[in-house]
Amino acid sequence: MKELAGILELTEEEKAWREGPLSVPLRITGHYLSLIDPTDSSDPLRRQVVPTCRENMTSGTESADPLEEVSHSHGERLIHRYANRVAFLATDICPMYCRHCFRRRFTGNMTGPATEAEIESAALYIKAHPEIREMLLTGGDPLTLSDAMLDSMIGAFRKTSPSLIIRICTRYPVSQPSRITRELVDMIKRHDSAPFFLMTQFNHPREITPESIRAVSLFVDAGIPAMNQSVLLRRVNDDADVLEELCNRLVFCRIKPYYLFQGDMVSGTSGFRVPLKRGMEIERELRRRLSGLAMPVYAADLPDGGGKVPLCGSYIISSPDKEKGSWQFRTPEGGTRIVEDPQF
Ligand SMILES: *Cc1c(COP(=O)(O)O)cnc(C)c1O
Ligand code: SF4
């Protein structure tokens, strides 16, 4: 904090932050810091990385692990919540910590990268469950590992499950795009027995810089599609204009907006949460303004491991009654239309 005070003029709320058992460490990359407007204490980028004392408050409805990830885990690092896909926590370390991080029970604990034994046991578990088709390589940020370590980690999973689709979940294109090099992408491509997907987290249009575009393009040019998962965050992007610009710019950079997440009920993140009703209004407005390609799915991860559900208002006003097979729909513009259903 002291170091930061020399760069940004800290507000009282920021100065009052204390590192607690449930907070993620304070760490901001030089790249991201350079994107922050030092004169604006409510800068949407600053809000994502500079902690305030609001983080020290926990409400009774929040918890460290609202998604019950721990109870769905096999070993410390493999989360098997859906039958056909798993998440592997490659490391708990990130180059920069987001104040809204939902996996803060794990992130930034300085446990470090998964050990060879942990990787081996996860790989054997996946092999023993052939219904698993996809693995999310996540954390923490897996690209904090060296290329050599990633090479051996990916190699271990490929050896036992050559057709496993791997999603590389990273915020490096936002936090420190220089990490992404041709050598890294070439190394990943050498494990090409099954597809890779790059999963990014851009939350604000100002995070899309020439450097981040270059970083993502290295993947996309190599045939690795890029998808973005944003988090809906109060006073960061809870605004249809901001999200419209973000999503359109992402598509222009060949990044498909995939999810827009409702903030989970994680301890210390109440300052970021947007009421569901407001989120649904924004979703409805975005659906009117954005192309299908640019439109993310607004989703909530339900408590107690319920999984993700789309939060999309219904466009069905009424379904067929006993007499007629007609459905009444609402159009995105607010009109109504009837669809006759001959199958009724
Ligand atoms: C989000 C998530 C997935 C992936 O879900 P998709 O809807 O396929 O993107 C898989 N496993 C866990 C534990 C998750 O949290
Ligand atoms: S990059 Fe992901 S894991 Fe790391 S602090 Fe941000 S949200 Fe948490």
Side-chain angles (χ1 to χ4, degrees):
M1 219 22 147
K2 234 190 247 146
E3 203 184 324
L4 197 58
I7 303 164
L8 303 173
E9 201 177 316
L10 297 178
T11 65
E12 291 308 314
E13 280 201 332
E14 288 168 346
K15 281 185 205 156
W17 173 76
R18 294 290 170 269
E19 182 146 24
L22 266 180
S23 53
V24 288
L26 171 55
R27 187 169 171 192
I28 308 170
T29 58
H31 170 80
Y32 201 79
L33 204 52
S34 76
L35 304 177
I36 294 176
D37 175 357
T39 64
D40 180 5
S41 62
S42 55
D43 181 290
L45 276 57
R46 174 178 181 147
R47 273 181 57 71
Q48 290 180 64
V49 294
V50 179
T52 70
C53 56
R54 287 168 157 268
E55 211 178 288
N56 299 120
M57 303 183 301
T58 286
S59 77
T61 48
E62 292 177 332
S63 88
D65 183 22
L67 310 179
E68 293 267 347
E69 288 193 331
V70 170
S71 68
H72 289 83
S73 290
H74 297 271
E76 289 279 284
R77 300 198 181 244
L78 195 70
I79 308 169
H80 192 187
R81 177 141 55 83
Y82 300 107
N84 62 350
R85 54 210 193 276
V86 289
F88 183 67
L89 307 181
T91 174
D92 64 315
I93 296 172
C94 295
M96 165 175 101
Y97 291 96
C98 313
R99 307 326 302 177
H100 54 269
C101 182
F102 80 100
R103 199 169 277 139
R104 57 209 302 131
R105 65 172 170 81
F106 176 77
T107 311
N109 288 347
M110 303 299 156
T111 334
T115 61
E116 261 177 49
E118 286 170 322
I119 298 167
E120 194 61 25
S121 111
L124 289 175
Y125 179 90
I126 295 171
K127 187 185 177 190
H129 292 80
E131 68 276 15
I132 299 173
R133 306 175 63 87
E134 295 179 29
M135 179 178 75
L136 287 67
L137 201 56
T138 182
D141 199 316
L143 298 191
T144 50
L145 272 60
S146 69
D147 287 7
M149 281 176 84
L150 278 170
D151 194 10
S152 98
M153 186 180 284
I154 295 170
F157 288 109
R158 278 285 182 257
K159 195 169 135 212
T160 43
S161 308
S163 54
L164 185 69
I165 295 169
I166 297 180
R167 303 189 202 175
I168 298 170
C169 309
T170 177
R171 216 181 173 201
Y172 265 98
V174 173
S175 55
Q176 195 183 313
S178 60
R179 163 72 183 96
I180 293 163
T181 60
R182 191 168 298 279
E183 291 70 43
L184 169 71
V185 177
D186 286 348
M187 178 278 287
I188 293 172
K189 285 301 281 185
R190 283 198 291 275
H191 297 279
D192 225 10
S193 59
F196 289 92
F197 282 76
L198 177 73
M199 312 301 289
T200 58
Q201 188 199 142
F202 288 91
N203 291 328
H204 193 278
R206 273 180 34 226
E207 293 169 349
I208 306 176
T209 61
E211 296 89 343
S212 60
I213 296 171
R214 180 207 61 90
V216 173
S217 295
L218 283 173
F219 281 93
V220 180
D221 288 345
I224 300 174
M227 317 280 278
N228 189 68
Q229 310 192 129
S230 298
V231 188
L232 183 63
L233 300 168
R234 185 153 91 209
R235 296 202 286 116
V236 173
N237 61 11
D238 57 339
D239 176 285
D241 292 338
V242 171
L243 287 172
E244 180 186 16
E245 189 189 345
L246 172 68
C247 293
N248 280 329
R249 289 192 60 192
L250 287 169
V251 170
F252 198 81
C253 302
R254 300 180 294 172
I255 307 169
K256 161 79 185 120
Y258 175 51
Y259 275 133
L260 171 64
F261 285 123
Q262 172 68 12
D264 297 320
M265 296 302 286
V266 181
S267 303
T269 60
S270 61
F272 285 113
R273 225 165 291 125
V274 178
L276 275 167
K277 188 164 174 286
R278 171 82 189 119
M280 307 257 244
E281 279 166 17
I282 294 172
E283 197 271 355
R284 185 169 286 231
E285 182 61 24
L286 289 176
R287 196 165 290 278
R288 226 170 50 75
R289 296 192 199 175
L290 291 173
S291 77
L293 203 54
M295 182 71 197
V297 174
Y298 176 42
D301 220 329
L302 297 180
D304 305 331
K308 295 178 181 76
V309 287
L311 299 169
C312 163
S314 176
Y315 291 83
I316 301 169
I317 298 172
S318 64
S319 47
D321 58 25
K322 288 200 170 64
E323 280 83 51
K324 322 188 293 259
S326 60
W327 296 68
Q328 200 180 10
F329 285 91
R330 192 190 324 277
T331 70
E333 302 294 338
T336 54
R337 295 289 187 278
I338 305 288
V339 174
E340 298 299 341
D341 186 359
Q343 299 304 315
F344 173 68

